[in-house]
Amino acid sequence: MEFNSKDTDAFQGVWVFCEQRGGVMQSTSYQLLSEGRKLADDLGAQLTGVVLGQGVSEESLKALGGYGADQVYYCEHQLLEVYTTDAYTKALCTLVEDKKPEIVLLGATNIGRDLAPRCAARLHTGLTADCTHLDVDVEKYKDFLRGASTIDVDSTPFEDNRNLKMTRPAFGGHLMATIVCPRFRPQMSTVRPGVMRTQPFDQAGADKVTVERIQVELSPADMPVEVVEVVKAARELVDLIGAEVVVSVGRGISKDVERGLALAQELADALGGVVGASRACVDAGWIPADHQVGQTGKTVHPKIYVALGISGAIQHLAGMQDAQCIIAVNRNADAPIFGAADYGIAGDLYQVAPMLIEAVKAAR
């Protein structure tokens, strides 16, 4: 049967593109499966993990069931071993055209941001990028709005439908927009890493998941670009998303950047954490971009988040406000960061940070 993205009734099921690199599954895949499980349950549908690559172990594929997948489609081919736009686009689109999923989720990673729009264009459907919240159930969406918006939900009429409601930041994070794709399928979304919480691994789910190996028809002619060599950067990247403690610096370190960064690193080491930063620090070139926390950086959920010299712009708050405990240090007692903080210290970070370091060391 010819693929028709307008025939919405022909589509069913929730898919998650499970990204792997070198045969190793990326943590974003587990986050998306956990969220996809909720959507699939609300729809009464199956959740499928889709893996493209070569040499991915059976154990890694089965593990996807531990995070919610009912089944896994594994497309194995030597031309999928290393990510290339053309090969992955053809493989994923061919699979979508054959199986017709209702929803397809991808991580807003370098690969996901490259792959998703090309697939959406080829499939003649819509795509919402960089989402931070997803719903299909109208009542659950209304509950989300009650806590995240100023809309009078109870007096506002809502259409009762099962369209995917894809919420993402707009206008630099000053607004949140919810987008739907009612006339075309699949409904596609890229989801920001770190936003969705990973459910605990369930061995029973891993044991019962079914893995189906899909034959992929690819040839070098499908790939105008040939990967000659993969060179990995020698610089070690910081794992903000997985850290339990994050100590972030902001524009407040400007009077002595080197010392400010050193204090943040020393405090992070004392707490067993990592160093983050606001966009201002990254834009100024004081710290690499992989340390950035916020709307245009990484979203983190640590147990402890320490903000040194960060005023608390809405874009930064969006990336760290769900931390279990937020400690803020800022000279301006009226800084917005104190509105989100559990503990606030109005003072010079160059005086306060050494005191915090000594206190932590003494406690340990």
Side-chain angles (χ1 to χ4, degrees):
M1 183 181 296
E2 184 179 353
F3 179 80
N4 181 6
S5 61
K6 294 182 180 180
D7 184 13
T8 57
D9 292 334
F11 294 76
Q12 61 180 350
V14 179
W15 282 14
V16 169
F17 172 73
C18 297
E19 184 177 327
Q20 59 81 28
R21 300 188 187 187
V24 178
M25 212 62 65
Q26 303 298 293
S27 61
T28 307
S29 304
Y30 305 140
Q31 297 166 17
L32 292 185
L33 285 170
S34 300
E35 185 66 17
R37 180 71 269 161
K38 300 175 188 176
L39 299 177
D41 288 344
D42 288 340
L43 291 169
Q46 275 201 320
L47 175 63
T48 302
V50 179
V51 180
L52 309 183
Q54 186 180 41
V56 181
S57 69
E58 185 74 12
E59 181 182 4
S60 295
L61 297 172
K62 296 285 285 185
L64 299 178
Y67 294 99
D70 296 305
Q71 62 181 357
V72 174
Y73 291 146
Y74 178 33
C75 302
E76 185 173 28
H77 196 285
Q78 62 180 8
L79 294 179
L80 297 175
E81 181 177 7
V82 178
Y83 176 78
T84 59
T85 301
D86 297 288
Y88 269 58
T89 299
K90 180 177 180 181
L92 185 56
C93 286
T94 300
L95 193 58
V96 169
E97 290 170 351
D98 180 42
K99 304 293 186 180
K100 298 182 176 62
E102 185 174 2
I103 293 172
V104 178
L105 306 179
L106 302 90
T109 61
N110 292 336
I111 287 178
R113 286 172 170 166
D114 180 71
L115 177 62
R118 286 166 171 79
C119 289
R122 188 170 297 189
L123 296 169
H124 303 287
T125 190
L127 168 69
T128 303
D130 214 23
C131 292
T132 56
H133 187 85
L134 301 170
D135 273 312
V136 291
D137 182 82
V138 174
E139 291 305 315
K140 289 183 178 180
Y141 175 60
K142 290 165 71 172
D143 287 340
F144 161 69
L145 290 179
R146 288 188 179 97
S149 76
T150 57
I151 297 173
D152 185 356
V153 174
D154 297 315
S155 62
T156 302
F158 285 83
E159 182 183 348
D160 188 11
N161 60 57
R162 52 186 274 158
N163 291 324
L164 180 62
K165 297 143 190 72
M166 301 169 278
T167 303
R168 58 150 295 157
F171 294 101
H174 293 282
L175 291 177
M176 300 299 287
T178 297
I179 300 167
V180 295
C181 181
R183 296 186 296 117
F184 299 92
R185 293 292 186 270
Q187 301 163 97
M188 295 186 64
S189 170
T190 59
V191 180
R192 175 170 299 184
V195 171
M196 307 303 179
R197 293 186 180 276
T198 303
Q199 70 177 30
F201 179 79
D202 177 22
Q203 185 60 51
D207 292 338
K208 71 179 182 181
V209 69
T210 59
V211 178
E212 182 179 346
R213 296 177 180 270
I214 307 293
Q215 295 296 319
V216 183
E217 294 185 7
L218 286 174
S219 70
D222 297 316
M223 300 172 58
V225 175
E226 179 184 356
V227 178
V228 177
E229 183 183 8
V230 177
V231 180
K232 297 183 178 181
R235 182 171 61 88
E236 184 177 351
L237 299 180
V238 64
D239 180 18
L240 284 176
I241 294 176
E244 293 192 346
V245 178
V246 177
V247 179
S248 285
V249 291
R251 203 188 301 271
I253 67 169
S254 60
K255 71 176 184 180
D256 190 342
V257 173
E258 187 174 341
R259 182 165 176 246
L261 290 173
L263 285 172
Q265 186 64 63
E266 188 175 356
L267 180 56
D269 290 342
L271 291 169
V274 298
V275 175
S278 68
R279 179 173 178 173
C281 292
V282 174
D283 288 348
W286 299 337
I287 195 168
D290 58 293
H291 289 263
Q292 185 178 331
V293 174
Q295 198 75 68
T296 53
K298 295 177 182 176
T299 300
V300 296
H301 302 279
K303 291 181 178 178
I304 300 174
Y305 188 86
V306 183
L308 302 177
I310 295 175
S311 62
I314 188 172
Q315 293 92 336
H316 186 79
L317 292 176
M320 44 66 72
Q321 60 190 356
D322 289 333
Q324 293 181 27
C325 179
I326 299 173
I327 303 169
V329 180
N330 199 292
R331 287 189 301 176
N332 179 9
D334 297 321
I337 190 70
F338 290 123
D342 298 286
Y343 301 95
I345 303 172
D348 189 332
L349 72 90
Y350 292 99
Q351 297 177 1
V352 175
M355 297 169 63
L356 288 174
I357 293 167
E358 290 304 316
V360 171
K361 289 181 177 179
R364 289 197 164 186

